[in-house]
Amino acid sequence: MMKFVTSGESHGKCLVTVLEGVPAGLVLSASDINNDLARRQQGYGRGGRMGIERDTAEIVSGVRNGRSTGAPVTLIINNKDWENWKDRTVPPITLPRPGHADLAGILKYGLTDIRDVLERASARETAARVGAGAVCRKLLKEFGIEIFGYVTELGGIKARPLKVNQRSALTASLLMTADKKAEKAMIKIIALAKKKGDSVGGVFEVKALGVPPGLGSYTAWANRLDARLAQGLMGLQAIKGVEIGLGFEAAGRPGSRVHDEIFYGKKGFFRKTNNCGGIEGGMSNGEDIVVRAAMKPIATLYSPLKSVDIKTKNTGRASVERSDICAVPAACVTGEAIMAFELADAFTDKFGSDCLADIKKSFKAYLKRIRPS
Ligand code: EPS
């Protein structure tokens, strides 16, 4: 089973990822990770920090001579902004931002400076998660599994659903959508929010193609693939909802318009619809995995909301930290990483986790068993 932990603060020296369970034999270098790190930094509406950082990963363990050894893989991403912070004396922050970890954080940990909370609660940490996800993505690629994400809604503007063959258009998009008209309207909303000192949220969808049936399990609740994906995505900063396939819409439809009928052809079992988002009974069913996550608007508002000083208990306005106006595309890239990790975890659970060559043999034998000969 795969596991990973991240550590590091937003303005600390670096972010660290320790990823356990990477099988031996995977060709791996920093360049496999850096593209996703750069993608996470993109998006219209990002704050000043993204102008400072050029996120790149250094692999410091688990890889020798360009191949994974089976030992934990450790990645380090340096914070360039550390140079600007290390000698700085900053006054304590005492006015918590509504919607952020600030208030509950200081109460829980008995702290008196909100900075002690926000430094770790910050979405800067997602860079470390994207690092773990990029390693998992490389592993899944060995088995023909591909993951991509796109923004489906931003600031209340809905984009047309993305067709699989429109994926290449996402690279050129400022907001990870192929719908140019919607993108224009979204940009306007972000620009307006910036002017007003406000922030903008949205919804993104992540898809996995080429996933074999049988990842995850119905035998125990915690092993269900949908449960694992939902936990992973809800663990991402600012996510308030997760849907799989039709999601909440399924609740209002009759069963005959929800369940995906089963057919059999040259490649084996298949469906003509995918309302279940590729997951039935907590397991992948061989169709594309489709998940959506709703991101609330970022909690730092340049026109701050009312708050109460934690020391004096006087009413005031929430503190203002440099932040993004909108980070939905960045969250989408992190969502891809989360999907990659959860699928790699479920994949190695099913097919083995020590040695890439053995996993390939086991995967091949499985496909032979489930597909027509
Ligand atoms: C982020 C880095 C942060 C913020 C943002 C995301 O950098 P700084 O705090 O120095 O501006 O831009 O973090 C938040 C939205 C937050 O709530 O903390 C990043 O690397 O993505």
Side-chain angles (χ1 to χ4, degrees):
M1 288 272 261
M2 293 182 95
K3 269 190 244 162
F4 79 96
V5 66
T6 72
S7 70
E9 279 78 36
S10 183
H11 304 100
K13 197 169 185 329
C14 60
L15 299 165
V16 179
T17 309
V18 180
L19 177 60
E20 259 184 83
V22 180
L26 181 69
V27 174
L28 199 62
S29 70
S31 64
D32 295 315
I33 298 159
N34 292 343
N35 182 46
D36 280 349
L37 292 180
R39 289 175 61 234
R40 195 202 69 90
Q41 289 202 264
Q42 302 302 308
Y44 183 78
R46 302 303 303 274
R49 181 72 180 272
M50 292 305 105
I52 299 170
E53 303 297 340
R54 289 286 171 277
D55 292 340
T56 50
E58 189 190 347
I59 302 174
V60 299
S61 81
V63 176
R64 272 196 80 229
N65 302 325
R67 278 182 194 270
S68 59
T69 61
V73 173
T74 306
L75 311 174
I76 292 182
I77 301 165
N78 284 315
N79 284 325
K80 281 202 163 54
D81 209 18
W82 161 246
E83 289 302 321
N84 308 320
W85 280 75
K86 64 177 197 235
D87 302 319
R88 203 191 272 185
T89 28
V90 282
I93 301 172
T94 55
L95 279 149
R97 290 162 295 173
H100 215 282
D102 299 354
L103 181 58
I106 50 129
L107 296 176
K108 175 178 169 70
Y109 289 98
L111 300 167
T112 51
D113 180 357
I114 288 169
R115 180 157 300 285
D116 289 336
V117 174
L118 71 87
E119 279 292 331
R120 177 63 187 161
S122 165
R124 174 87 194 125
E125 179 267 345
T126 60
R129 266 190 266 188
V130 167
V135 176
C136 295
R137 194 197 282 272
K138 183 83 197 282
L139 174 63
L140 294 171
K141 212 173 150 201
E142 295 281 329
F143 301 92
I145 299 172
E146 192 197 336
I147 292 166
F148 66 96
Y150 47 94
V151 170
T152 61
E153 190 180 327
L154 198 145
I157 307 284
K158 284 188 167 62
R160 276 196 310 273
L162 183 107
K163 296 193 182 83
V164 171
N165 61 5
Q166 289 178 312
R167 268 172 296 167
S168 54
L170 296 172
T171 341
S173 166
L174 287 172
L175 291 172
M176 284 184 83
T177 169
D179 184 340
K180 287 273 158 218
K181 200 171 151 209
E183 186 179 57
K184 240 181 172 174
M186 290 168 177
I187 286 174
K188 260 194 193 153
I189 289 203
I190 297 170
L192 188 69
K194 186 173 183 182
K195 218 162 141 190
K196 289 186 171 165
D198 217 326
S199 61
V200 178
V203 179
F204 63 83
E205 182 165 293
V206 179
K207 265 192 180 169
L209 314 181
V211 179
L215 301 193
S217 176
Y218 60 89
T219 57
W221 64 267
N223 293 346
R224 287 178 175 264
L225 186 61
D226 38 8
R228 288 151 79 164
L229 285 167
Q231 188 188 16
L233 285 163
M234 287 299 293
L236 172 58
Q237 287 86 339
I239 298 303
K240 283 298 196 188
V242 174
E243 286 188 323
I244 296 178
L246 269 188
F248 275 57
E249 204 190 312
R253 290 193 186 190
S256 55
R257 288 189 48 234
V258 171
H259 303 299
D260 306 300
E261 290 182 309
I262 302 174
F263 300 90
Y264 194 77
K266 272 190 212 142
K267 289 185 181 166
F269 297 103
F270 73 98
R271 317 298 171 100
K272 293 180 183 171
T273 53
N274 188 18
N275 293 331
C276 70
I279 301 178
E280 289 171 310
M283 295 165 293
S284 57
N285 69 355
E287 301 298 318
D288 301 342
I289 308 278
V290 185
V291 298
R292 274 181 304 284
M295 183 187 198
K296 68 182 180 183
I298 280 172
T300 302
L301 301 184
Y302 284 90
S303 301
L305 297 173
K306 284 186 191 132
S307 184
V308 173
D309 190 294
I310 54 169
K311 209 168 154 197
T312 64
K313 310 295 185 292
N314 291 334
T315 305
R317 292 277 165 180
S319 64
V320 180
E321 277 289 306
R322 180 182 59 197
S323 187
D324 307 308
I325 307 300
C326 175
V328 180
C332 180
V333 175
T334 314
E336 292 175 20
I338 289 164
M339 170 85 95
F341 169 75
E342 295 300 340
L343 289 185
D345 184 23
F347 193 93
T348 50
D349 195 23
K350 168 97 185 87
F351 297 108
S353 58
D354 310 321
C355 162
L356 187 59
D358 290 349
I359 301 173
K360 283 188 175 168
K361 275 186 210 144
S362 148
F363 183 58
K364 213 170 148 191
Y366 177 70
L367 292 186
K368 205 170 161 208
R369 173 162 73 75
I370 65 165
R371 285 187 179 161
S373 43

